Amino acid sequence: LCCRSVKKYSNVKTIVTFHGLDAVYPNSVYQRRIGDNLKNNIDAVIAVSGATADECLKRGAGRGKVHVAPNGVDLSLKNIAHDRGFLKRLEERVGIPLKGKKILVSTGRGVKRKGFSWFLNNVLPRLDSGIVYIMAGPQEKSLGKKLFLMSLLPAKISRQIWLTGMGIDQAEIGKALKRPELALRAFHLGKIPFADLTQLLKSSYAFIMPNIHIDGDAEGFGVVALEAAMCGTAVLASNIEGIAEAVHDGKNGILIEAENEESWVKAVNELCGSQSKRKKIASAAPLYTAKRFSWDKMAAAYLKILKGL
């Protein structure tokens, strides 16, 4: 939003990277400023996905200004050794034996668009009883107090606040975890060290991104899916927004129609029922991902755009 001042007082080229929510955030004042800058004060837009680029075009950016440079992933994740003792430590953490279980993992903050509570309530109860769902990611402190304070605000304002990244879905996740049929099948670990996160991915049967559509919010890309793929984990993800540009169906994961309960149940059960299918996806994913989403490729894309100015 400082682009106007930069343009007014200098001849410096202005380039802005958009990641998703920063383009669609539903505040009228913010959207007017974004639109004005996209039309008049920004020389180039670098969007992390085609979906994000489209949102910038809708807001007035000239087609010649908008470029797509997908995010990259750390390729060294593939080389991290699998700690066979991690599963035992995970058993102690969740309080149930995990030998013979098929672990599904999701990571990230508990925001609505991630679809964690939707998956807990609509899909997990219908999956094979040998499937366990584990979530990891930051949890809001004093969420109850925050929700109470937001309830005192007009709905439009409170919605804009939680769209900035507040883990409001945490409340629904907590309710779902108390359901008797999910008590020994679903767990939330909270935020864990990166070393443990990589081991969690390497110990899981599949990584899932059950994202859902939320007006005024968007998943600009899907770096966590790429990280899981580089760890040799099979990826199942919603075919929505920028995720579909990180996960290429049948190449480094499986895309599933967002919020389609039947499709999700079928896809997860089929993958968990076929060790050969799971191994085929998991083994091919690191190579495919490395060829298309390395940091070198991302840097080269940025350099090409900058030289073009």
Side-chain angles (χ1 to χ4, degrees):
L1 295 177
C2 64
C3 292
R4 180 182 295 175
S5 297
V6 172
K7 277 297 184 186
K8 184 176 181 180
Y9 297 108
S10 76
N11 292 318
V12 173
K13 296 288 186 181
T14 56
I15 305 100
V16 179
T17 302
F18 282 85
H19 293 267
L21 177 60
D22 44 5
V24 302
Y25 184 62
N27 176 280
S28 58
V29 175
Y30 177 83
Q31 286 294 326
R32 281 198 299 272
R33 292 289 299 276
I34 285 289
D36 177 57
N37 278 302
L38 284 170
K39 292 173 186 175
N40 304 308
N41 303 311
I42 294 175
D43 294 294
V45 169
I46 301 177
V48 299
S49 66
T52 301
D54 288 342
E55 294 297 340
C56 293
L57 291 170
K58 290 177 185 177
R59 286 156 178 79
R63 189 165 293 277
K65 286 184 180 180
V66 181
H67 311 269
V68 177
N71 286 323
V73 63
D74 184 357
L75 304 189
S76 69
L77 291 171
K78 181 182 179 182
N79 302 324
I80 297 175
H82 184 193
D83 179 359
R84 300 295 175 180
F86 177 78
L87 193 62
K88 184 65 177 178
R89 298 196 297 274
L90 184 60
E91 286 181 334
E92 294 172 357
R93 179 78 177 269
V94 299
I96 66 167
L98 294 172
K99 186 176 181 180
K101 300 289 187 181
K102 293 175 180 176
I103 302 171
L104 305 180
V105 171
S106 289
T107 64
R109 188 180 296 277
V111 294
K112 282 287 187 181
R113 74 168 186 271
K114 299 292 186 181
F116 297 164
S117 66
W118 176 84
F119 186 85
L120 282 166
N121 287 313
N122 297 285
V123 181
L124 186 59
R126 298 179 56 191
L127 299 180
D128 183 89
S129 60
I131 295 173
V132 173
Y133 182 41
I134 296 179
M135 295 159 282
Q139 293 180 300
E140 292 285 346
K141 296 180 179 179
S142 306
L143 181 61
K145 183 184 293 185
K146 292 177 182 178
L147 291 175
F148 171 73
L149 292 174
M150 287 210 301
S151 71
L152 303 178
L153 299 172
K156 185 177 181 179
I157 294 177
S158 63
R159 178 170 177 269
Q160 290 176 8
I161 292 173
W162 65 255
L163 279 175
T164 60
M166 182 178 290
I168 195 170
D169 199 36
Q170 185 177 311
E172 293 302 317
I173 292 171
K175 290 179 184 178
L177 292 177
K178 293 178 182 178
R179 292 175 57 177
E181 65 271 33
L182 300 183
L184 298 177
R185 298 191 60 194
F187 307 90
H188 200 304
L189 303 182
K191 187 176 182 179
I192 61 176
F194 184 72
D196 286 349
L197 180 59
T198 57
Q199 291 303 322
L200 179 62
L201 291 172
K202 288 177 179 289
S203 301
S204 66
Y205 197 85
F207 175 80
I208 63 169
M209 288 187 74
N211 287 58
I212 61 177
H213 175 74
I214 297 292
D215 288 335
D217 202 354
E219 194 74 54
F221 196 60
V223 172
V224 291
L226 299 183
E227 292 173 340
M230 287 308 302
C231 286
T233 307
V235 175
L236 293 90
S238 291
N239 189 4
I240 188 174
E241 299 158 356
I243 297 174
E245 296 177 52
V247 179
H248 296 175
D249 192 44
K251 304 294 186 180
N252 62 344
I254 298 173
L255 290 174
I256 306 166
E257 184 181 353
E259 297 178 76
N260 186 321
E261 182 180 329
E262 297 297 330
S263 294
W264 269 94
V265 171
K266 180 181 179 181
V268 176
N269 277 333
E270 283 185 354
L271 184 72
C272 290
S274 174
Q275 182 71 6
S276 61
K277 182 176 182 179
R278 185 258 180 193
K279 284 185 175 181
K280 181 179 179 181
I281 294 173
S283 60
L287 181 60
Y288 183 90
T289 300
K291 285 182 177 179
R292 287 156 179 80
F293 299 106
S294 69
W295 283 343
D296 285 346
K297 286 186 71 68
M298 182 180 75
Y302 270 75
L303 188 60
K304 181 179 179 180
I305 294 165
L306 296 175
K307 283 184 175 181
L309 294 175

